[in-house]
């Protein structure tokens, strides 16, 4: 499949999706959002893809936000539609059944920060700057950022970042839990790949269930989330992988998971 605004590469089961409009710091116009969706939709049922890394093209930006040229044209109706479509696409990523890691190589602002928030794990280069500057443009985050940031950081910190529109550096982002880890720029992709491959070596059905339990469960009251957890736990007990994982431990050898 040929894309205009993104690049994809699959290597040994790992899909690297690069948002690639470096002249506008990889800003997300509507066409780019649709291409991102197409990549994830195809990868969902592609057995060759076991994990995804999302990053930005060029050396300045992960994604510097929604495309402000397009946003400037929105009416109340098209603005709502744009927000709903963006929410749908980022929720699709959040609920993706295989691990998704954001490798944040520079500016992750507005929709770029929201894209990173929808990924399961965030690794940032020391050069990264993150923020939700929408209020500086007279709007609010519209791709789920108000909800995901508040759930990740708590309401107080989220409101501070959303209402000031301030950008923060990678070290501060790590301190408040907005990113999982910060590494030198030249180690970013290797670190993201190392983490992806570690997760890929675990039982894929278990990883899928873990993502579902955490992501779906966090939208539920605790008792319902724990019911979901127990149900997924029980389902895994019927899998060949679970038997293999336990047997391998008892036989003191690495497990050979087959996703069955
Ligand atoms: N949408 C559209 N174009 C964007 C963009 C966006 N979100 N972010 C950057 N660009 C464009 C700039 O207009 C500029 O285009 P030009 O070369 O035709 O003038 C190009 O990308 C480079 O950006 P520039 O502002 O010159 O780079 P900088 O290093 O001086 O500043 C930023 C970098 C990220 C601080 C600045 O680009 C910025 O504030 N961008 C907008 C961030 C934002 O508000 N995002 C939320 C949108 S909802």
């Amino acid at each position: 499949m040929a894309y205009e605004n993104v690049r994809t590469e699959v290597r040994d089961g790992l899909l690297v999706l690069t948002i690639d409009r470096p002249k506008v710091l990889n800003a997300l116009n509507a066409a780019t959002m649709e291409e991102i969706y197409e990549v994830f939709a195809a990868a969902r049922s592609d057995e060759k893809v076991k994990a995804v890394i999302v990053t930005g093209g060029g050396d300045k930006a992960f994604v510097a936000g929604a495309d402000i040229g397009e946003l400037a044209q929105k009416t109340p109706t098209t603005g709502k539609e744009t927000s709903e479509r963006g929410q749908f696409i980022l929720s699709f990523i959040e609920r993706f059944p295989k691990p998704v890691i954001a490798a944040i190589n520079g500016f992750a602002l507005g929709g770029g920060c929201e894209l990173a928030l929808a990924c399961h794990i965030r690794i940032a280069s020391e050069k990264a700057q993150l923020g939700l500057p929408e209020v500086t443009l007279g709007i609010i985050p519209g791709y789920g950022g108000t909800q995901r940031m508040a759930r990740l950081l708590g309401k107080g910190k989220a409101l501070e970042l959303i209402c000031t529109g301030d950008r923060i550096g990678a070290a501060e982002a790590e301190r408040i839990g907005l990113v999982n880890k910060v590494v030198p720029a030249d180690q970013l992709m290797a670190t993201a790949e190392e983490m992806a491959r570690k997760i890929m070596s675990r039982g894929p059905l278990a990883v899928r269930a873990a993502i579902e339990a955490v992501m779906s469960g966090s939208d539920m009251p605790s008792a319902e989330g724990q019911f979901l957890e127990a149900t997924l736990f029980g389902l895994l007990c019927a899998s060949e992988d679970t038997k293999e994982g336990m047997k391998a431990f008892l036989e003191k050898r690495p497990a050979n998971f087959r996703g069955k």
Side-chain angles (χ1 to χ4, degrees), residues 23-25 27 60 64-68 71 107 109-110 133-134 137 139 167:
K23 283 193 182 136
V24 288
L25 307 185
K60 267 181 85 171
D67 190 305
I68 297 172
L71 282 185
F107 293 113
L109 303 175
E134 282 85 348
L137 300 165
I139 51 173
R167 294 203 297 263

Side-chain angles (χ1 to χ4, degrees), residues 196-207 241 255 257-259:
R197 294 211 179 273
K198 180 187 277 187
I199 298 170
M200 286 159 72
S201 75
R202 311 309 194 205
L205 296 180
V207 169
D241 276 1
F257 293 118
R258 300 191 312 137

Side-chain angles (χ1 to χ4, degrees), residues 121-184:
I121 294 169
R122 286 157 290 284
I123 300 178
S125 126
E126 284 169 352
K127 290 187 345 188
Q129 290 192 39
L130 296 94
L132 292 174
E134 282 85 348
V135 290
T136 68
L137 300 165
I139 51 173
I140 60 170
Y143 292 173
T146 58
Q147 303 309 300
R148 290 198 181 93
M149 189 173 264
R151 282 167 169 76
L152 188 66
L153 306 182
K155 287 182 203 164
K157 201 69 203 171
L159 277 170
E160 178 190 331
L161 288 173
I162 293 168
C163 292
T164 61
D166 281 349
R167 294 203 297 263
I168 57 172
E172 174 67 358
E174 184 182 26
R175 192 186 71 77
I176 64 176
L178 182 53
V179 302
N180 298 63
K181 195 173 194 162
V182 179
V183 295

Side-chain angles (χ1 to χ4, degrees), residues 71-234:
L71 282 185
Q73 314 298 321
K74 299 295 174 196
T75 65
T77 305
T78 60
K80 181 164 186 250
E81 283 167 1
T82 300
S83 174
E84 286 173 344
R85 183 69 185 158
Q87 288 173 352
F88 169 81
I89 293 169
L90 296 199
S91 293
F92 190 81
I93 295 173
E94 183 174 54
R95 298 295 168 92
F96 201 66
K98 313 172 199 191
V100 183
I101 298 178
I104 305 171
N105 55 312
F107 293 113
L109 303 175
C113 187
E114 293 179 290
L115 173 61
L117 281 164
C119 296
H120 303 140
I121 294 169
R122 286 157 290 284
I123 300 178
S125 126
E126 284 169 352
K127 290 187 345 188
Q129 290 192 39
L130 296 94
L132 292 174
E134 282 85 348
V135 290
T136 68
L137 300 165
I139 51 173
I140 60 170
Y143 292 173
T146 58
Q147 303 309 300
R148 290 198 181 93
M149 189 173 264
R151 282 167 169 76
L152 188 66
L153 306 182
K155 287 182 203 164
K157 201 69 203 171
L159 277 170
E160 178 190 331
L161 288 173
I162 293 168
C163 292
T164 61
D166 281 349
R167 294 203 297 263
I168 57 172
E172 174 67 358
E174 184 182 26
R175 192 186 71 77
I176 64 176
L178 182 53
V179 302
N180 298 63
K181 195 173 194 162
V182 179
V183 295
D186 62 356
Q187 290 168 30
L188 178 65
M189 289 310 286
T191 307
E193 177 160 351
E194 191 186 336
M195 191 177 291
R197 294 211 179 273
K198 180 187 277 187
I199 298 170
M200 286 159 72
S201 75
R202 311 309 194 205
L205 296 180
V207 169
R208 180 184 181 136
I211 294 169
E212 194 177 344
V214 172
M215 289 309 188
S216 299
S218 60
D219 287 341
M220 296 173 182
S222 178
E224 283 177 30
Q226 292 191 47
F227 179 77
L228 173 66
E229 179 187 84
T231 305
L232 291 168
F233 190 100

